[in-house]
Amino acid sequence: MSEKPMSLIDDKKSNQVTYSADQIINNHEAQRAFFEQAERQIAPEPPKFDLYEEPKAFDSDMMTEIDTATYVAEVPAYAKEPVSHREILERAYRSMDTLELVADARMCTKAIVVTRHLY
Amino acid sequence: MSDILKKTLSLLTGSPVGSKRPLKKLSERELIELEAEIGGTLFGQIPSGHHREFFCLDEHTWVWHEEWIDADNQRHVSSTRYEIHDNGILKAQDGKVYKFIEGDELRNLTLAIRLYYEAVARGIYKRDPLSGKLLTDPTTATM
């Protein structure tokens, strides 16, 4: 049987004890310690909470009601109505510079000529 | 080619001899005429008494053609040619200086070109503008 030490973690980076296979099989103490160690790795300890921390005072200002009328008014007009394909293109073209617009026009023109010849 | 052969070929194909698409029912010119009708509608309602055409002539040229009769019964014709170059789109109008268009005019023309392509691809050629596939193809994407 192999005597190679068994551990689930890198021993060089921790102070955890390693156990040989024989030790784990034959020694109940080593067996228990091995499995406890493995369990800690699988389920790390939960973070500690300070149970005695004073709760924060309730701040009523944080609970302002949503002014529905204002909220609706802040929604841009285009978001309230269905947007046409043309409008989507118009917005896209607004953010393009001259060379990008020319490139798009060129691409569409070429596509038209190719489509025409395919007919 | 002899005249008789030309006539025979023209009768068989329905297109004049020398056409780029001799085996098709419609010539390229006829297709452009169909496209021009769609193109004329892209800029909103056409004023009463006006006739407007907007079409792609070839890979580099677009034409806007408008005819109307004024209150004095005078006929007016206006033709504008747009040439697509690497660095911009050149506008050429009757009797006016050539100039590269920019700003809203360039944006509006590019939008019109895009809408024209989508409209003619679907309306005339029955193709999906995004994929180029025939609309009868079940795998065709929609835009």
Side-chain angles (χ1 to χ4, degrees), chain B residues 1-12 15-18:
Chain B
M1 199 183 291
S2 73
D3 284 348
I4 293 174
L5 189 58
K6 278 183 185 174
K7 277 186 180 174
T8 309
L9 195 57
S10 183
L11 281 169
L12 284 171
S15 294
V17 175

Side-chain angles (χ1 to χ4, degrees), chain A residues 23-37:
Chain A
Q23 277 177 311
I24 293 165
I25 292 164
N26 301 320
N27 183 328
H28 289 289
E29 189 64 24
Q31 205 176 77
R32 190 177 57 78
F34 175 81
F35 286 114
E36 275 179 4
Q37 187 174 299

